[in-house]
Amino acid sequence: MNPDIVKERQNATFNVEKLTNILDGSPEKTRRRREIESMVLNDPDFQEQDPNFLSRSERYDQAVRKSAQMILKLREFGISDPDEIYYYKNCVHPDRPEPLDLHLGMFLPTLLNQATPEQMDRFFTPAWNLQIIGTYAQTEMGHGWWRCSQRASCSATTPTVLPALTSEDWRPQATFDPATQEFVLNSPTISSIKWWPGGLGKTSNHAIVLAQLHTQGNCHGLHAFIVPIRDMDTHVPLPGIVVGDIGPKFGFSEVDNGFLKLENVRIPLDNMLMKYAKVEPDGTYVKPPSAKLTYGTMVFIRSMIVGQSALALAKSCTIAIRYSAVRHQSELKPGEPEPQILNFQTQQHKLFPVLATAYAFTFVGQYMKQTYNRISGDIHEGDYSGLPELHALSAGLKAFTTWAANGAIEVCRMSCGGHGYSRSSALPDIYVEFTPTCTYEGENTVMMLQTARYLLKSYSQARGGQQLQGSVSYLSRLQPQPVSAGVPPLNIQDLASLVQVYQLRAANLVELAATSIQQELQLRHSQEDAWNSSAIDLVRASDAGLLSVPQALQVSAHIKELLIQLRPNAVALVDAFDLNDKKLNSVLGRYDGNVYEHLFEWARHSPLNASEVPPALTIIVIIKHNQLIGSFFPRSTSLSTST
């Protein structure tokens, strides 16, 4: 054990185990999580080659093998609790995306939330047994969620008769044929080809496809359809299915993100998920209680991403803070030994806010999960009143936490100096695997705009005298006021006082956005144009502040005090995340602090070190010995002796 890391733990002023229990929810949950982690980490079936030294195909093959073993062992051990499945999966694939992610995280949950009991009997059990391997095909090549959210699509509540070619040809179409009791699915344009779904390229044999529903000459908006795409015995693509892998991406090397083109593919009537919306045998459409129910899986994933942001930050600051505790460099005072870089105030100012954010996101992730479960339970009982808030919360928090985490991971990497660039640190991989969360399941700017719509609607209700509940209740309590009106007295050490200032700031920003839209509406006479012309104000509203200059200086001074208070507990606070070395997979973030010995050992495993002279360098050796000079240079060329 590195003596610096030992000293850090001895200086801690709190019980690390108790804090771990709080993060997990209880001592029993900590015990069970560790038990599951031990099951995985000690199982020889999950041993793997370091993916940093494998090709993309090798990484995919290794991930598929481990995923199949994971499903078998989950059944063998009778693990069915969602939290325990999550623990198990995160140890099998330590926070790396894998080929069955969408099968487990989107295909199965969509069946649970949107399938009828009869459809559950047909599809869920085979899917749990891996006879059906599913994905969730939502995004198109030319019509991702950025475009979808910027304009209104074919309404799910107002049927629209479409001409031969409209903007909705960006999406696949499912047209009901009452003569055969089938839907006919087509990708009418090149841009309507499904693009990006994980597991679609090679792994899946079924897909839940989001397509525009057409029946009796009307379009009823996006609905979900279960579409077989490959033969369940041979795995060969079925007739009318053009499917494959989209190629390398920014990270996600283990995942076969794919494309899907539909050419007159026929599926039975009861392959449309009909827990809410329905199509009768004669083609009559029965609309759902809420159009937003179609996007329930999206909301679920956005809620999960909040927790993923917390985990990515927990891993990153664990690595950076542990490494900063054992790394010595530069002199604070001439003639004295080089200090730990964690003793430099600038290093603390980089890392301690990231550590605080990791804790904040952990708790807000738990809150988001509880909120999702509560409102989902209400929906199951027929109460849809909480659905708008759930959409707004999941969209806004998804955007905020992923943006913040994305930047903070890079702060951690840079704080590790040159070694932070090495994939042995794990920080480059954390960054490339996490960054796509800013785009998938809703591009972040669009997510902010969706939340802004909810805030403006709530603001209008509050101004009309309605008492708001939940996350926007402050709009009913506080009257927005201009910054020039002054700031209420602020005690920066009192949490209630800080919350009040943040609420007042938020109320002011919503007021500002509402005023901007009203002004634009008077000029442009179009709600859509007014919204678009105010979009920058809506997204950049967080740039405004309420603190006076003296208060800002007071905050700055207090932050420096907090850095001093946190310094003795920095390593203990990251230890409380309880990230096993195998799960962390970082040489710099090792629990024992023995960084340099293992960094050298890791480097020696590089495939380039398999031989002292790689075969590709043979040609250089030949040139050096002048054995092929004539074939490379004209005989008239003058070569020096050294050449």
Side-chain angles (χ1 to χ4, degrees):
M1 189 75 74
N2 184 290
D4 286 322
I5 212 82
V6 171
K7 184 179 178 181
E8 292 292 329
R9 292 179 177 126
Q10 290 173 343
N11 289 338
T13 63
F14 68 93
N15 186 308
V16 172
E17 182 69 10
K18 287 185 178 179
L19 182 53
T20 299
N21 297 158
I22 291 171
L23 293 172
D24 283 329
S26 70
E28 173 57 28
K29 288 185 177 180
T30 298
R31 184 200 65 77
R32 180 56 176 161
R33 174 181 56 77
R34 288 173 176 165
E35 182 180 32
I36 291 173
E37 289 176 352
S38 179
M39 290 167 60
V40 175
L41 298 175
N42 296 319
D43 190 332
D45 288 334
F46 293 124
Q47 299 303 308
E48 67 172 14
Q49 291 180 267
D50 190 329
N52 289 305
F53 300 135
L54 299 178
S55 69
R56 183 183 174 224
S57 294
E58 290 170 333
R59 292 180 71 157
Y60 171 75
D61 291 345
Q62 179 169 270
V64 169
R65 175 186 62 79
K66 291 174 64 179
S67 295
Q69 287 288 341
M70 176 181 69
I71 297 294
L72 292 174
K73 290 178 185 288
L74 286 172
R75 293 211 312 259
E76 177 185 345
F77 299 132
I79 297 175
S80 58
D81 178 80
D83 288 336
E84 295 189 357
I85 292 174
Y86 184 74
Y87 296 151
Y88 200 96
K89 181 182 179 300
N90 269 357
C91 281
V92 175
H93 302 278
D95 306 312
R96 293 197 303 268
E98 51 94 8
L100 291 185
D101 268 353
L102 266 70
H103 176 76
L104 295 170
M106 298 190 81
F107 188 83
L108 292 175
T110 302
L111 291 178
L112 286 169
N113 292 325
Q114 298 190 38
T116 65
E118 294 77 16
Q119 291 172 325
M120 286 290 290
D121 291 339
R122 284 178 56 209
F123 295 111
F124 189 84
T125 300
W128 181 244
N129 291 331
L130 285 189
Q131 295 168 290
I132 288 177
I133 302 174
T135 186
Y136 189 84
Q138 174 177 271
T139 303
E140 293 83 28
M141 183 192 295
H143 192 189
W145 276 96
W146 187 90
R147 181 180 174 91
C148 171
S149 302
Q150 289 290 333
R151 64 172 180 82
S153 66
C154 177
S155 172
T157 57
T158 307
T160 305
V161 179
L162 296 179
L165 182 66
T166 73
S167 60
E168 297 316 317
D169 286 311
W170 286 96
R171 289 199 177 278
Q173 298 176 0
T175 304
F176 182 60
D177 181 358
T180 61
Q181 295 291 289
E182 293 174 317
F183 292 103
V184 183
L185 279 77
N186 276 291
S187 304
T189 61
I190 189 72
S191 56
S192 68
I193 294 173
K194 292 293 182 181
W195 201 266
W196 282 113
L200 176 62
K202 295 295 177 184
T203 307
S204 300
N205 56 30
H206 281 68
I208 291 176
V209 175
L210 273 289
Q212 295 284 2
L213 169 63
H214 293 259
T215 178
Q216 297 181 340
N218 292 327
C219 173
H220 299 279
L222 287 176
H223 289 72
F225 302 85
I226 301 176
V227 182
I229 58 175
R230 290 183 172 96
D231 186 276
M232 292 175 62
D233 295 320
T234 67
H235 211 65
V236 173
L238 295 170
I241 299 291
V242 181
V243 64
D245 179 79
I246 65 170
K249 296 88 56 183
F250 184 73
F252 279 57
S253 296
E254 285 92 345
V255 180
D256 54 323
N257 296 84
F259 60 79
L260 173 64
K261 186 174 188 292
L262 302 161
E263 298 177 339
N264 291 313
V265 176
R266 288 181 171 266
I267 60 172
L269 169 63
D270 55 4
N271 273 35
M272 173 180 157
L273 292 177
M274 295 198 198
K275 183 175 182 178
Y276 300 110
K278 295 179 175 62
V279 173
E280 303 290 358
D282 65 353
T284 300
Y285 175 71
V286 181
K287 68 180 182 180
S290 169
K292 290 182 172 64
L293 290 168
T294 302
Y295 308 108
T297 303
M298 286 282 291
V299 175
F300 169 70
I301 296 299
R302 289 172 189 163
S303 301
M304 293 285 292
I305 287 174
V306 177
Q308 292 172 7
S309 300
L311 183 56
L313 279 188
K315 293 181 69 174
S316 299
C317 65
T318 295
I319 294 166
I321 287 174
R322 284 180 179 170
Y323 177 63
S324 297
V326 301
R327 176 78 175 189
H328 291 252
Q329 193 161 320
S330 302
E331 293 181 344
L332 274 175
K333 297 179 181 178
E336 292 189 357
E338 290 184 329
Q340 301 158 281
I341 61 173
L342 195 56
N343 286 341
F344 289 96
Q345 187 186 68
T346 51
Q347 189 78 344
Q348 296 168 13
H349 195 253
K350 289 178 186 176
L351 296 178
F352 291 179
V354 177
L355 175 60
T357 304
Y359 271 90
F361 284 6
T362 297
F363 293 119
V364 80
Q366 294 173 0
Y367 169 79
M368 189 67 245
K369 179 180 175 182
Q370 293 165 1
T371 301
Y372 175 84
N373 290 335
R374 173 178 58 81
I375 295 179
S376 294
D378 293 342
I379 292 171
H380 183 72
E381 298 298 323
D383 179 3
Y384 305 101
S385 60
L387 195 53
E389 181 181 19
L390 180 60
H391 270 263
L393 268 178
S394 63
L397 283 175
K398 181 266 184 189
F400 174 74
T401 58
T402 55
W403 263 335
N406 188 57
I409 294 167
E410 181 68 354
V411 168
C412 290
R413 188 193 61 75
M414 289 190 293
S415 73
C416 292
H419 293 323
Y421 284 89
S422 171
R423 289 175 71 173
S424 67
S425 72
L427 289 166
D429 284 329
I430 294 173
Y431 183 81
V432 299
E433 304 296 358
F434 182 80
T435 294
T437 61
C438 295
T439 303
Y440 68 64
E441 311 312 326
E443 193 277 329
N444 277 359
T445 301
V446 178
M447 293 297 94
M448 287 296 199
L449 290 172
Q450 288 188 3
T451 302
R453 288 181 187 273
Y454 177 73
L455 287 171
L456 290 177
K457 181 179 179 181
S458 300
Y459 166 83
S460 177
Q461 292 170 339
R463 297 288 77 80
Q466 183 174 337
Q467 288 299 311
L468 303 179
Q469 303 296 322
S471 60
V472 292
S473 58
Y474 66 91
L475 292 174
S476 294
R477 299 194 306 270
L478 298 174
Q479 290 296 322
Q481 54 184 285
V483 175
S484 59
V487 186
L490 174 64
N491 179 357
I492 62 174
Q493 300 192 42
D494 177 51
L495 293 180
S497 179
L498 289 171
V499 169
Q500 183 180 14
V501 170
Y502 272 112
Q503 289 177 336
L504 182 58
R505 174 176 176 270
N508 277 357
L509 297 177
V510 176
E511 167 87 10
L512 177 66
T515 302
S516 174
I517 288 179
Q518 288 301 319
Q519 291 172 345
E520 292 291 340
L521 186 59
Q522 292 175 3
L523 292 172
R524 303 176 189 277
H525 308 291
S526 165
Q527 186 72 32
E528 292 77 15
D529 288 341
W531 177 266
N532 186 51
S533 298
S534 304
I536 294 176
D537 293 334
L538 292 165
V539 173
R540 291 184 176 175
S542 59
D543 289 342
L546 279 176
L547 296 182
S548 63
V549 172
Q551 287 174 331
L553 293 174
Q554 186 183 8
V555 168
S556 179
H558 188 57
I559 287 174
K560 294 177 182 178
E561 294 173 5
L562 290 175
L563 295 179
I564 296 171
Q565 293 176 27
L566 281 172
R567 172 62 188 88
N569 289 300
V571 169
L573 283 165
V574 297
D575 284 351
F577 291 127
D578 203 26
L579 294 165
N580 185 284
D581 274 350
K582 289 185 178 179
K583 186 176 178 182
L584 197 60
N585 196 31
S586 170
V587 172
L588 301 190
R590 293 177 57 87
Y591 184 82
D592 62 13
N594 294 326
V595 170
Y596 302 115
E597 303 91 328
H598 290 91
L599 184 60
F600 184 57
E601 179 185 347
W602 184 88
R604 290 178 66 112
H605 283 87
S606 170
L608 283 178
N609 293 325
S611 61
E612 292 299 333
V613 182
L617 291 179
T618 304
I619 187 66
I620 295 179
V621 175
I622 293 174
I623 293 173
K624 182 178 180 181
H625 288 84
N626 295 324
Q627 294 180 13
L628 291 179
I629 291 298
S631 64
F632 282 92
F633 300 97
R635 290 191 179 275
S636 61
T637 302
S638 174
L639 295 174
S640 67
T641 303
S642 61
T643 304

